[in-house]
Amino acid sequence: MSPSSNGDSPHSSTATMTAAAGVNVLGRFPIPQRDFTVEIPSPQIIASANGINALKSPNSLKSNRNPSFSREGILGSAQKARNLSQSSENRPESNGMQKVPSDEGSVNPLKRRNTDAGVDYPRRRATIACEVCRSRKSRCDGTKPKCKLCTELGAECIYREPGIKLDAGDKLILERLNRIENLLQMNMVGGHGNGIGMSHDSPNMSNGTALSGDAMMGIPGSGNFVSIIPSGGLGTWSANATNNISTMPKVHTNAALHLLQWPLIRDLVSRPYDPQILLQLEMAREPLHSLAKTPCVDLSNTNAYIEAYFDRVNIWYACVNPYTWRSHYRIALSNGFREGPESCIVLLVLALGQASLRGSISRIVPHEDPPGLQYFTAAWSLLPGMMTSNSVLAAQCHLLAAAYLFYLVRPLEAWNLLCTTSTKLQLLLMAPSRVPTDQRELIERIYWNSLLFESDLLAELDLPHSGVVAFEENVGLPCGFEGDEQEAVGRDELWYFLAEIALRRLLNRVSQLIYSKDSMASTTSLEPVVAELDFQLTQWYESLPMPLQFPFTRTMLPDPVQTVLRLRFFACRTIIYRPYILAVLDNEQAMLDPSVREACTKCLEASIRQLEHITAHHAGHMPYLWQGALSIVSQTLLVMGATMSPSLSSILWSLVPHRETIDQIINDVVVEIERYAVLSPSLSLSSEILKEAEVRRRAYLNGGP
């Protein structure tokens, strides 16, 4: 059963089977019902004997660091499915004794026996009639290979197999086989060759033995930190990369402005828009003029900004080690913050920390310097030296600089820095010996950040792929920084970061299987794919540790991490079911199919849940303002189009208390996106499109031209 807004959390309708049917969500999470345990030096959820999860301190396992998830790691052990291999003939009876077939000499006093060979009793109806006799409703004598009637008619005599009463174990086997068949159908219809590896991307098919954490995540062998050179060379899109369905496709139709080509929605704008227009606008954008100024920084309040960074920012990126921070700061201070990667890292942390104290950048007065810019400018002056260095710290500098540019809503400049980060990562990962042992955890985190950022950008802009994805299966997952607890300046938060890796990979699979150029077109072929992807999304939610597991209430949440995860959940759910909305906009008769109606309901409900509290998106504005804004635009266009469709609008009215609620939600979105217009030319255009679309929508509904 998929998550619903009527309850606090989604649960599978077959709870005892869920654990055995775990899914690899970072390849796809193989997920038991609530166990989420990582043997790493960071907070852990440990399943106690009574089944209640407890959060364990991040400081307990520092001395026994495992560079990859263990078998009992992030997703816990799967509960074993019982009675899967017992045959119906040899299954024990209820008294514990095994059933023994009777031999011909045994005597049953309750069974009437024919002791008089001379008596010819009438022949009973055959237990199994052939197909011909069944169709003619004639008595079949059961003779094989041909019964009497088929012999007389010269017809082919075919007998059905005898019916078998299935027990729970047999039904579970058939259910799993059906899921395998659906997965294979997904693979063949999507045209992705070896894209779905059953050991990684399907529910656990064994009798309950869980795969190792790395296998569950689709990252085999990551514990050994083995790296290889991609077959196509550095920075190429190799065949191996294209077969990975957890990466963004090179060509897809998932971007926000693609909705402007849909029926009814295209009538909401006065002219067609090239989907490449957002990229063109960002390419023509003026650079940051302040970066040419002589950097001048105020170091009087650094402690507050450092504390703010580790409290508010590092949770999103998890890429600065709180245990080695003081060492970095001392080195930077000794260099006067004028040279070296440590100086660059410290300045970027100060920039992001100061920015986090001011809330959403959308609420800052226009033409006022954004918070943290003075520190970023100073760090920018050091980046040329980092550009020619191929160290892990140099890659970290570029990643943190890209993070600040995302905060400034400058996606294309951020992408340029990410390309440099990607090049450094590929050079370092080509041979394990190039990465110092004490920096392996750091490079894993830099790698996953780069992959997440790049996937977000590729979802909306047609940019070249950096090629860093080719190393995905050879890079381990973060396990926890090592260091002296007394030296720590903050917590090493990993939970959100791991959850985001999982969800981003699922979003990429959605783009590959539904929105890529080779994906299926009809709702019939979509059905098993959509069911599988929604199953994975539900399993992703159920795998979250309790502190991150958000409620499905209709109210705003006080926790920013839960807020962001809930918004990302509904965004993912919307795009999983969005093709059904297109089918109905194209042909209203499609709604006559109950499965189409159900899918449209799920899609529109997820869209409304994303938009009904628009200011909740501020919680993720540090890492996601630009990406989140375009997601809001696409869901709003979807809802606008739905209000113009008789069948879809009836669903919408059932999801809100009053019809006017939809108009108010759309109006709030238009006002909010207008606030973002000054931050980016691509968001400025998005705002203009929404405003025009709303004017035209109201005219359409009021019977205007």
Side-chain angles (χ1 to χ4, degrees):
M1 185 171 67
S2 56
S4 168
S5 60
N6 297 328
D8 287 344
S9 64
H11 295 285
S12 171
S13 59
T14 54
T16 59
M17 298 181 186
T18 301
V23 175
N24 187 350
V25 176
L26 301 188
R28 272 180 38 194
F29 265 46
I31 305 163
Q33 191 73 353
R34 277 289 183 267
D35 298 326
F36 191 101
T37 309
V38 185
E39 290 191 355
I40 58 173
S42 59
Q44 291 183 307
I45 297 297
I46 305 296
S48 60
N50 60 5
I52 299 175
N53 293 326
L55 188 64
K56 192 168 182 179
S57 166
N59 306 324
S60 58
L61 296 174
K62 285 287 178 210
S63 61
N64 189 23
R65 178 179 184 270
N66 183 353
S68 65
F69 288 102
S70 67
R71 182 176 297 273
E72 297 76 29
I74 186 171
L75 309 174
S77 301
Q79 178 184 353
K80 293 188 176 181
R82 298 176 182 174
N83 301 328
L84 296 185
S85 59
Q86 293 177 335
S87 68
S88 37
E89 284 298 322
N90 298 323
R91 191 162 285 119
E93 298 290 343
S94 60
N95 60 2
M97 300 296 291
Q98 184 167 317
K99 181 180 178 181
V100 180
S102 60
D103 62 295
E104 294 181 358
S106 62
V107 177
N108 184 348
L110 300 179
K111 182 177 180 181
R112 182 178 181 181
R113 302 178 68 236
N114 182 9
T115 56
D116 187 351
V119 180
D120 185 13
Y121 288 99
R123 179 180 295 275
R124 294 178 298 172
R125 181 185 293 270
T127 304
I128 304 174
C130 72
E131 294 294 331
V132 173
C133 291
R134 283 178 184 273
S135 65
R136 296 169 64 95
K137 297 185 178 178
S138 301
R139 179 172 294 179
C140 183
D141 63 6
T143 305
K144 295 184 179 180
K146 272 194 174 187
C147 71
K148 183 178 179 181
L149 180 61
C150 288
T151 303
E152 293 174 352
L153 297 175
E156 184 180 5
C157 191
I158 302 173
Y159 290 93
R160 290 183 185 176
E161 290 297 321
I164 300 174
K165 186 177 181 180
L166 301 178
D167 66 4
D170 296 323
K171 291 178 181 177
L172 183 57
I173 293 173
L174 293 177
E175 186 178 306
R176 301 298 171 73
L177 290 174
N178 184 56
R179 182 169 292 281
I180 292 176
E181 184 180 3
N182 288 340
L183 287 168
L184 291 174
Q185 183 178 350
M186 286 168 58
N187 202 21
M188 289 185 291
V189 174
H192 291 286
N194 298 325
I196 300 180
M198 297 307 298
S199 63
H200 298 161
D201 291 316
S202 66
N204 189 358
M205 305 309 300
S206 71
N207 64 350
T209 303
L211 296 171
S212 68
D214 292 320
M216 293 172 179
M217 308 288 280
I219 309 167
S222 60
N224 297 325
F225 201 78
V226 176
S227 301
I228 58 171
I229 301 175
S231 58
L234 185 65
T236 58
W237 188 252
S238 66
N240 290 336
T242 57
N243 283 339
N244 184 351
I245 65 166
S246 293
T247 61
M248 283 299 298
K250 295 200 74 172
V251 180
H252 65 87
T253 58
N254 196 15
L257 293 196
H258 273 284
L259 271 72
L260 295 178
Q261 301 173 15
W262 286 21
L264 291 183
I265 297 177
R266 60 178 170 239
D267 299 331
L268 295 176
V269 290
S270 57
R271 63 184 179 89
Y273 286 93
D274 183 347
Q276 303 296 323
I277 185 65
L278 298 186
L279 177 58
Q280 295 166 13
L281 289 171
E282 292 296 334
M283 289 179 67
R285 187 176 186 176
E286 288 290 321
L288 277 170
H289 296 294
S290 61
L291 298 182
K293 299 177 182 178
T294 303
C296 179
V297 296
D298 177 11
L299 300 176
S300 61
N301 206 23
T302 56
N303 287 339
Y305 300 150
I306 292 168
E307 182 180 351
Y309 175 86
F310 284 101
D311 283 347
R312 300 163 177 255
V313 182
N314 207 42
I315 191 169
W316 308 120
Y317 310 116
C319 65
V320 178
N321 189 341
Y323 304 106
T324 60
W325 168 258
R326 295 183 191 276
S327 173
H328 281 353
Y329 191 86
R330 285 191 290 266
I331 294 172
L333 189 61
S334 66
N335 291 329
F337 300 97
R338 291 188 177 89
E339 61 179 344
E342 293 85 1
S343 297
C344 191
I345 291 168
V346 168
L347 290 168
L348 290 168
V349 164
L350 292 173
L352 290 164
Q354 185 180 17
S356 71
L357 293 174
R358 290 286 299 275
S360 171
I361 193 173
S362 66
R363 297 303 188 261
I364 294 174
V365 178
H367 310 299
E368 176 186 335
D369 279 349
L373 186 61
Q374 59 167 326
Y375 300 112
F376 179 75
T377 303
W380 188 263
S381 68
L382 302 179
L383 277 180
M386 301 302 102
M387 189 80 68
T388 54
S389 171
N390 292 306
S391 67
V392 176
L393 292 184
Q396 185 182 19
C397 290
H398 283 83
L399 177 70
L400 288 168
Y404 187 79
L405 287 171
F406 269 116
Y407 164 74
L408 294 182
V409 199
R410 289 185 164 265
L412 203 55
E413 288 98 323
W415 173 77
N416 276 284
L417 290 182
L418 288 172
C419 288
T420 304
T421 308
S422 170
T423 302
K424 297 181 189 304
L425 288 171
Q426 292 179 70
L427 286 170
L428 290 165
L429 294 172
M430 286 157 92
S433 59
R434 295 178 184 171
V435 182
T437 303
D438 62 349
Q439 292 184 348
R440 289 183 178 179
E441 173 73 14
L442 176 59
I443 198 172
E444 289 170 359
R445 300 192 187 201
I446 296 171
Y447 177 86
W448 287 109
N449 270 294
S450 300
L451 208 58
L452 294 176
F453 275 140
E454 182 173 340
S455 295
D456 281 344
L457 289 169
L458 293 174
E460 297 294 346
L461 302 177
D462 187 15
L463 296 166
H465 292 240
S466 71
V468 74
V469 69
F471 291 87
E472 182 177 351
E473 294 188 350
N474 305 103
V475 177
L477 289 164
C479 297
F481 282 124
E482 291 181 323
D484 185 355
E485 296 290 341
Q486 302 300 319
E487 287 286 305
V489 294
R491 297 183 304 275
D492 183 18
E493 299 281 4
L494 264 181
W495 293 123
Y496 170 83
F497 191 52
L498 292 172
E500 181 58 30
I501 292 172
L503 190 57
R504 183 67 256 179
R505 286 170 58 83
L506 176 54
L507 284 163
N508 290 351
R509 283 197 290 281
V510 174
S511 294
Q512 281 277 8
L513 295 171
I514 298 180
Y515 295 96
S516 69
K517 63 182 179 67
D518 297 323
S519 60
M520 63 293 299
S522 70
T523 54
T524 303
S525 60
L526 270 176
E527 192 168 344
V529 179
V530 166
E532 177 63 27
L533 292 170
D534 190 53
F535 174 80
Q536 294 178 36
L537 180 61
T538 301
Q539 294 290 282
W540 170 84
Y541 171 82
E542 292 180 349
S543 78
L544 294 174
M546 293 308 295
L548 266 63
Q549 206 166 82
F550 47 85
F552 283 86
T553 55
R554 302 296 290 260
T555 56
M556 293 181 66
L557 302 175
D559 187 328
V561 173
Q562 286 189 343
T563 298
V564 170
L565 288 176
R566 188 166 74 173
L567 290 170
R568 299 281 275 180
F569 173 93
F570 284 123
C572 184
R573 194 154 217 236
T574 298
I575 65 170
I576 287 175
Y577 286 101
R578 199 164 66 189
Y580 290 92
I581 303 294
L582 173 59
V584 175
L585 292 177
D586 191 53
N587 180 9
E588 287 282 331
Q589 298 301 311
M591 189 64 85
L592 297 176
D593 185 341
S595 63
V596 172
R597 184 175 186 85
E598 181 184 2
C600 289
T601 302
K602 291 178 179 178
C603 181
L604 292 175
E605 181 185 22
S607 297
I608 293 298
R609 294 300 304 274
Q610 259 197 291
L611 304 176
E612 62 186 353
H613 300 295
I614 195 63
T615 56
H617 289 263
H618 291 192
H621 274 187
M622 170 65 74
Y624 294 125
L625 191 152
W626 184 80
Q627 305 95 306
L630 290 178
S631 177
I632 291 169
V633 169
S634 65
Q635 314 323 349
T636 307
L637 290 173
L638 195 74
V639 171
M640 286 180 173
T643 64
M644 300 162 67
S645 159
S647 53
L648 291 175
S649 60
S650 66
I651 294 177
L652 273 178
W653 309 146
S654 70
L655 297 174
V656 293
H658 309 287
R659 290 194 174 195
E660 295 75 16
T661 303
I662 297 294
D663 291 339
Q664 187 60 51
I665 288 174
I666 293 174
N667 183 69
D668 291 345
V669 170
V670 171
V671 172
E672 181 71 12
I673 298 299
E674 191 173 13
R675 287 179 175 270
Y676 304 165
V678 296
L679 301 174
S680 159
S682 55
L683 295 188
S684 178
L685 176 64
S686 299
S687 175
E688 293 300 320
I689 289 173
L690 280 188
K691 285 190 289 186
E692 180 188 12
E694 177 58 358
V695 171
R696 286 175 164 255
R697 183 188 74 91
R698 288 181 179 264
Y700 178 91
L701 295 177
N702 293 329

